[in-house]
């Protein structure tokens, strides 16, 4: 596996030199629920699409290659992936989790996992003492880095060291940087999660989620769970993901370039009070990012001076869309307080640094001059 990542977005070595599927360059969409068997006790390798589907398999092998994992599992959304993964735990298990997470993950942990008997300690994994929070029943550490939305960066290798010492699983939601910029498994993580809806799909047109691991016993359990619970990604959506991934590198580089320019521009605006982007040298996670990732990504969180200004910006943007989600070709601006993090209590939001003045920007691949022109106009019109 020493081919470059852009090549690995397009080609799967194991299928090369074969002329099946009429030599079709685009992988076929096997839109089938079931498969005919040659005889009793015989199988083509495919029995029923809840268990296996060739289009989904192809996608899973591409994503496993991108993350340097043994296996990847493609699920119907990022939340379906996290939900499936948490079936690995049992009532009474304790999880140490990053506090500043995607709001849907906090909602899952607070309202579903706790009901199922799991216990959580939420920490700022970039600064708090993780080792000190380990209990006899702790089973895993769950992090995002950079975090959604406050862009805190934690040291994956360092946390992996703590996890290995205490026999804990390290799970990293790698959605924000994608495998193009960061590979947590190579830094010692055991499991990587993706919302494939974001950078991997990349076109704001479909939902998907991934679990990638290099641990055999986890692969086996997940295979059983996906067959049993049934949230595998549909064939057409798998194809959309394959198509999106072909341009992952081009999109990531372009969106990051826009984010670097936009973050320095934002810093100079009178209405903007704070800019959280790990590519700014003054960001506390800048050095760690340079050490563990190949880029800083294209997510920028910033605060403006008043809540009224935040609301007015969201109302007045036109080309930049006021919408949830991120990581697509189009630039989106999000209001964590009422969107992604609406179900997180105000107390927790404020503790994490999400205020009514906080906005989150996912830069797309437009011309950055046009993004700056639109924001300049909107800022100039603020009351
Ligand atoms: C969006 C997101 C998720 C959830 O993924 P869906 O595909 O929307 O279900 C999980 N983690 C992070 C970091 C996300 O941004």
């Amino acid at each position: 596996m020493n081919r470059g990542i852009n090549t690995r977005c397009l080609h799967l070595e194991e299928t090369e030199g074969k002329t099946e599927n009429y030599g079709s360059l685009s992988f076929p969409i096997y839109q089938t629920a079931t498969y005919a068997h040659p005889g009793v006790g015989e199988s083509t390798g495919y029995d029923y699409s809840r268990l296996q589907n060739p289009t989904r398999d192809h996608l899973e092998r591409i994503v496993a290659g991108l993350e340097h994992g043994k296996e990847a599992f493609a699920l119907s959304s990022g939340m379906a992936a996290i939900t499936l993964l948490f079936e690995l735990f049992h009532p009474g298990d304790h999880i140490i989790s990053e506090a500043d997470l995607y709001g849907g993950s906090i909602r899952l942990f607070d309202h579903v996992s706790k009901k199922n008997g799991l216990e959580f300690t939420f920490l700022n994994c970039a600064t708090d003492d993780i080792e000190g929070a380990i209990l006899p029943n702790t089973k895993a550490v769950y992090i995002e880095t950079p975090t959604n939305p406050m862009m805190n960066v934690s040291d994956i290798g360092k946390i992996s060291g703590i996890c290995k010492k205490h026999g804990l699983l390290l799970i990293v939601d790698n959605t924000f940087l994608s495998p193009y910029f960061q590979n947590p498994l190579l830094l010692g993580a055991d499991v990587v999660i993706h919302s494939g809806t974001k950078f991997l799909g990349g076109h704001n047109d479909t939902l998907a989620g991934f679990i990638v691991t290099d641990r055999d016993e986890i692969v086996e359990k997940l295979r059983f769970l996906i067959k049993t619970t049934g949230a595998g990604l549909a064939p057409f959506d798998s194809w959309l993901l394959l198509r999106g991934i072909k341009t992952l590198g081009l999109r990531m580089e372009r969106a990051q370039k826009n984010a670097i320019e936009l973050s320095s521009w934002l810093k100079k605006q009178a209405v903007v009070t704070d800019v959280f982007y790990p590519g700014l040298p003054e960001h506390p996670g800048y050095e760690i990012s340079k050490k563990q990732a190949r880029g800083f990504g294209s997510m920028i969180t910033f605060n403006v001076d008043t809540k009224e200004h935040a609301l007015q910006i969201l109302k007045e943007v036109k080309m930049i869309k006021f919408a949830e989600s991120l990581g697509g070709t189009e630039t989106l601006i999000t209001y964590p307080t009422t969107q992604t993090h609406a179900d997180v209590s105000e107390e927790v939001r404020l503790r994490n640094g999400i205020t009514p003045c906080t906005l989150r920007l996912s830069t797309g691949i437009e011309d950055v001059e046009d993004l700056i022109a639109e924001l300049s106009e909107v800022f100039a019109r603020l009351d």
Side-chain angles (χ1 to χ4, degrees):
M1 182 99 74
N2 37 28
R3 286 180 168 180
I5 187 145
N6 289 296
T7 307
R8 282 181 282 126
C9 285
L10 296 161
H11 301 288
L12 202 57
E13 280 181 75
E14 63 195 77
T15 60
E16 277 167 18
K18 298 185 183 160
T19 50
E20 62 218 15
N21 306 323
Y22 307 99
S24 167
L25 275 200
S26 165
F27 196 87
I29 303 169
Y30 283 89
Q31 190 62 53
T32 186
T34 191
Y35 307 83
H37 299 300
V40 176
E42 296 173 39
S43 166
T44 59
Y46 295 92
D47 304 307
Y48 189 62
S49 280
R50 173 152 35 77
L51 287 66
Q52 326 97 341
N53 176 277
T55 315
R56 191 166 79 215
D57 281 0
H58 188 74
L59 169 65
E60 290 174 342
R61 291 203 292 270
I62 291 272
V63 172
L66 296 181
E67 279 292 12
H68 300 271
K70 271 196 182 138
E71 296 268 350
F73 295 88
L75 286 305
S76 59
S77 70
M79 290 322 300
I82 302 170
T83 303
L84 189 82
L85 183 71
F86 272 68
E87 291 292 337
L88 294 178
F89 301 113
H90 297 96
D93 286 351
H94 173 250
I95 316 285
I96 296 172
S97 171
E98 167 62 50
D100 183 43
L101 289 182
Y102 170 66
S105 304
I106 301 179
R107 180 172 54 217
L108 176 77
F109 297 165
D110 278 348
H111 297 282
V112 180
S113 309
K114 282 185 184 169
K115 172 197 69 135
N116 292 340
L118 301 193
E119 296 161 18
F120 289 84
T121 299
F122 292 99
L123 298 177
N124 177 334
C125 291
T127 53
D128 292 346
D129 174 17
I130 295 177
E131 200 157 18
I134 296 174
L135 302 173
N137 55 338
T138 304
K139 291 293 188 303
V141 174
Y142 184 97
I143 64 171
E144 287 176 9
T145 178
T147 58
N148 182 355
M150 296 314 296
M151 306 303 294
N152 302 323
V153 174
S154 49
D155 188 326
I156 300 174
K158 196 170 129 205
I159 298 175
S160 154
I162 298 170
C163 289
K164 287 200 179 1
K165 184 170 152 203
H166 294 271
L168 314 179
L169 278 186
L170 175 58
I171 305 163
V172 181
D173 181 336
N174 198 30
T175 299
F176 264 32
L177 287 182
S178 90
Y180 184 76
F181 283 139
Q182 181 167 273
N183 293 123
L185 297 180
L186 296 183
L187 300 163
D190 301 288
V191 180
V192 168
I193 288 282
H194 280 286
S195 168
T197 312
K198 315 295 170 50
F199 292 100
L200 289 166
H203 292 73
N204 291 322
D205 58 10
T206 192
L207 299 185
F210 294 95
I211 306 173
V212 193
T213 183
D214 50 11
R215 298 272 301 268
D216 289 325
E217 72 282 12
I218 298 178
V219 166
E220 219 167 289
K221 286 182 188 161
L222 289 175
R223 226 193 281 289
F224 171 81
L225 285 168
I226 205 168
K227 162 169 124 182
T228 305
T229 60
L233 192 62
F236 181 66
D237 292 353
S238 297
W239 184 85
L240 283 173
L241 263 287
L242 281 168
R243 180 174 154 121
I245 289 170
K246 289 184 184 195
T247 55
L248 179 68
L250 294 173
R251 289 185 286 102
M252 294 302 298
E253 292 288 355
R254 172 53 178 250
Q256 170 172 260
K257 192 164 164 279
N258 285 352
I260 289 171
E261 279 195 45
L262 209 54
S263 59
S264 351
W265 179 83
L266 281 169
K267 272 186 52 183
K268 291 183 255 160
Q269 305 311 304
V271 65
V272 175
T273 57
D274 309 277
V275 180
F276 308 96
Y277 178 64
L280 292 169
E282 64 272 27
H283 187 282
Y286 179 74
E287 290 302 331
I288 301 171
S289 298
K290 285 219 305 200
K291 187 183 74 173
Q292 70 184 9
R294 294 177 291 273
F296 305 106
S298 49
M299 298 300 300
I300 306 168
T301 294
F302 63 101
N303 289 333
V304 291
D305 52 1
T306 64
K307 175 185 174 185
E308 289 65 36
H309 282 164
L311 298 180
Q312 202 180 340
I313 291 166
L314 295 168
K315 198 163 187 298
E316 299 216 359
V317 286
K318 289 197 183 68
M319 181 184 74
I320 297 173
K321 296 293 185 272
F322 168 34
E324 325 219 3
S325 205
L326 61 105
T329 37
E330 294 84 8
T331 297
L332 305 182
I333 191 163
T334 302
Y335 194 48
T337 298
T338 63
Q339 291 184 305
T340 50
H341 292 70
D343 287 340
V344 176
S345 74
E346 187 181 13
E347 184 201 335
V348 171
R349 276 201 308 263
L350 292 175
R351 200 187 311 137
N352 290 345
I354 305 171
T355 76
C357 303
T358 304
L359 296 167
R360 193 193 72 187
L361 201 58
S362 166
T363 60
I365 62 168
E366 298 93 342
D367 292 297
V368 71
E369 297 75 21
D370 295 323
L371 298 174
I372 289 176
E374 170 148 316
L375 287 175
S376 300
E377 271 174 45
V378 171
F379 288 180
R381 275 202 303 272
L382 292 177
D383 303 326

